Amino acid sequence: MSSARRGAAGAAPSDADHAFMARALALAGRGLYSTSPNPMVGAVVVREGRIVAEGWHRHAGGAHAEASALARWRPRRGPATLYVTLEPCVHQGRTPPCVDAILAAPVARVVVAAQDPDPRVNGRGIAALKKAGIAVEVGVRGPEAAFLNRSFFHARTTGLPYVILKSAMTLDGRIADRRGGSFWITSEAARREGKRLREEVDAIVAGSRTVRVDDPFLARLREHPPRPPLLKVILDPEAAVPAGARVFGDGRVVWVVGRSARVRRLPATASLLRLSAPGGRFPVETLLRNLAALGVQSVLVEGGGETVGGFLRAGLAQEAALFYGMKVMGEGVNAVTGFSNSVAGAIGFRPFAVRRPGGDLYLRGSLCSPA
Ligand code: AOF
Ligand code: ZN
């Protein structure tokens, strides 16, 4: 086996490698709504230029993608190439190490899109394969793989959840009129698209004022039932949200209140998190650390303007989902409040998706330094 393995070493990535990795990435993407807190991973086994088996990771704790692809393969003749979107693991976790499964199969070459930032793996999987004489290629479609798992990569490398800000506003950046009315700013289709974002994340964060004025349920669409339950996080320094608010109606709520706020009745769905709120605001990093400790790896911040402004001010948001209704309102409530920047110092935005749900404009992109 090892001489056959060595024979395949040294081949540079080809167009075919890129094409097979594209297929592995498409398989990985099927786990978008179900793998958290684990990564989305896809794998294909290729022999003589043809795919002979495929696998993808379905849910945390379930079979890993590469193990699942290899288990489906009935090898008649070797050797094969394995394409996997994330470095194979070497640790005994909830499932056995994938490196062992690879070494037990007639696999001569492994093509990996991205190294695994998980401290239990982090290069050790690649090293173990090389040591066993397998040809290993790393980085084929690497940026795409890192983008697909951006919340996993961010959480594993920073220890903080990945933060997406969401706002629905008029073309002039108003989320409500002066009386607080906001319902008709964007279309039904855009609102549905906004709710769909909740299925991608572990937790939603909303500020006290938004919860009191809009009285939202903050529920998922339930289009993807296998996903771990959503945590609803309410930032409420004064504990001013009434216990009868709809947000407490179901699911799990983390009610974040000030250290000395008076809570009269704790709803059955809620657990209390007491944090200091100097100047009436919770420090964003402290909040995120507390959420990370609850296993939260990704967060959708649904406003309002003060809450969104707080995350931007702290520099702790990575992505934004912006919905624009095709109207101009003039004076009203701003989508972002609580800080101001010079044009040169303004936060940059790099869109990676532009759509028109129900005739509105939907931009989704990464927050970055100004161009
Ligand atoms: C996955 N699916 O396809 C691959 C993973 O929770 P465990 O014990 O299954 O281990 C999860 C870790 O395994 C994960 O953080 C990542 O580092 C590695 N690879 N995980 O869930 C997969 N290939
Ligand atoms: Zn594994």
Side-chain angles (χ1 to χ4, degrees):
M1 177 58 64
S2 65
S3 64
R5 281 176 171 161
R6 264 192 291 274
S14 63
D15 288 353
D17 287 337
H18 284 268
F20 289 128
M21 191 59 85
R23 174 65 188 156
L25 282 164
L27 291 166
R30 292 185 185 175
L32 175 61
Y33 298 112
S34 59
T35 65
S36 178
N38 280 17
M40 294 167 243
V41 188
V44 297
V45 182
V46 172
R47 207 175 70 80
E48 291 173 353
R50 295 209 358 244
I51 294 180
V52 291
E54 298 184 330
W56 53 287
H57 182 61
R58 282 155 210 264
H59 57 86
H64 289 186
E66 54 276 57
S68 150
L70 289 170
R72 268 159 228 266
W73 181 36
R74 297 276 158 268
R76 275 180 288 253
R77 275 167 296 153
T81 298
L82 173 74
Y83 294 83
V84 58
T85 59
L86 189 72
E87 173 183 11
C89 66
V90 267
H91 67 285
Q92 172 68 50
R94 287 178 276 191
T95 64
C98 290
V99 163
D100 291 359
I102 295 169
L103 295 182
V107 170
R109 182 168 177 252
V110 176
V111 182
V112 174
Q115 189 169 317
D116 186 351
D118 189 302
R120 294 170 297 178
V121 188
N122 201 15
R124 279 194 281 273
I126 291 164
L129 291 172
K130 284 185 176 162
K131 193 161 168 238
I134 294 196
V136 184
E137 189 72 52
V138 183
V140 174
R141 293 193 183 268
E144 285 161 71
F147 179 74
L148 180 70
N149 277 312
R150 55 196 182 280
S151 56
F152 171 80
F153 274 72
H154 177 85
R156 293 299 148 112
T157 51
T158 65
L160 297 176
Y162 184 85
V163 174
I164 306 172
L165 306 176
K166 184 187 109 181
S167 286
M169 62 198 128
T170 60
L171 286 172
D172 50 338
R174 308 286 182 251
I175 56 170
D177 61 29
R178 281 174 154 172
R179 283 167 299 152
S182 63
F183 199 65
W184 298 113
I185 289 182
T186 51
S187 63
E188 166 85 36
R191 291 203 299 275
R192 211 174 160 73
E193 199 61 59
K195 285 189 180 158
R196 191 161 285 126
L197 285 166
R198 294 178 185 161
E199 325 231 342
E200 288 184 33
V201 295
D202 299 329
I204 307 181
V205 172
S208 171
R209 188 169 312 151
T210 302
V211 173
R212 279 178 293 142
V213 173
D214 299 350
D215 197 15
F217 289 102
L218 296 181
R220 284 215 182 100
L221 293 173
R222 296 184 207 284
E223 287 175 343
H224 303 279
R227 208 192 143 82
L230 179 69
L231 209 60
K232 309 189 240 184
V233 181
I234 311 303
L235 305 183
D236 192 12
E238 312 283 343
V241 172
R246 293 204 274 215
V247 70
F248 292 123
D250 68 350
R252 284 169 66 209
V253 181
V254 178
W255 194 5
V256 190
V257 302
R259 292 232 182 257
S260 52
R262 195 159 154 250
V263 175
R264 287 188 195 85
R265 181 163 77 80
L266 187 63
T269 52
S271 55
L272 216 53
L273 173 61
R274 286 196 181 271
L275 296 179
S276 318
R281 288 168 171 163
F282 299 113
V284 175
E285 184 167 347
T286 311
L287 171 73
L288 289 177
R289 289 217 179 279
N290 277 273
L291 295 182
L294 296 173
V296 171
Q297 190 167 277
S298 55
V299 160
L300 182 68
V301 178
E302 297 217 10
E306 285 240 353
T307 308
V308 167
F311 277 81
L312 285 173
R313 207 171 44 239
L316 290 171
Q318 287 70 48
E319 188 171 321
L322 308 172
F323 294 88
Y324 291 94
M326 294 297 103
K327 50 195 78 145
V328 171
M329 188 150 71
E331 304 291 327
V333 181
N334 288 339
V336 181
T337 62
F339 77 105
S340 74
N341 267 327
S342 63
V343 175
I347 296 156
F349 178 74
R350 200 178 305 118
F352 55 76
V354 180
R355 302 232 297 278
R356 302 281 323 263
D360 290 335
L361 177 61
Y362 171 29
L363 301 177
R364 187 164 175 191
S366 311
L367 296 166
C368 53
S369 353

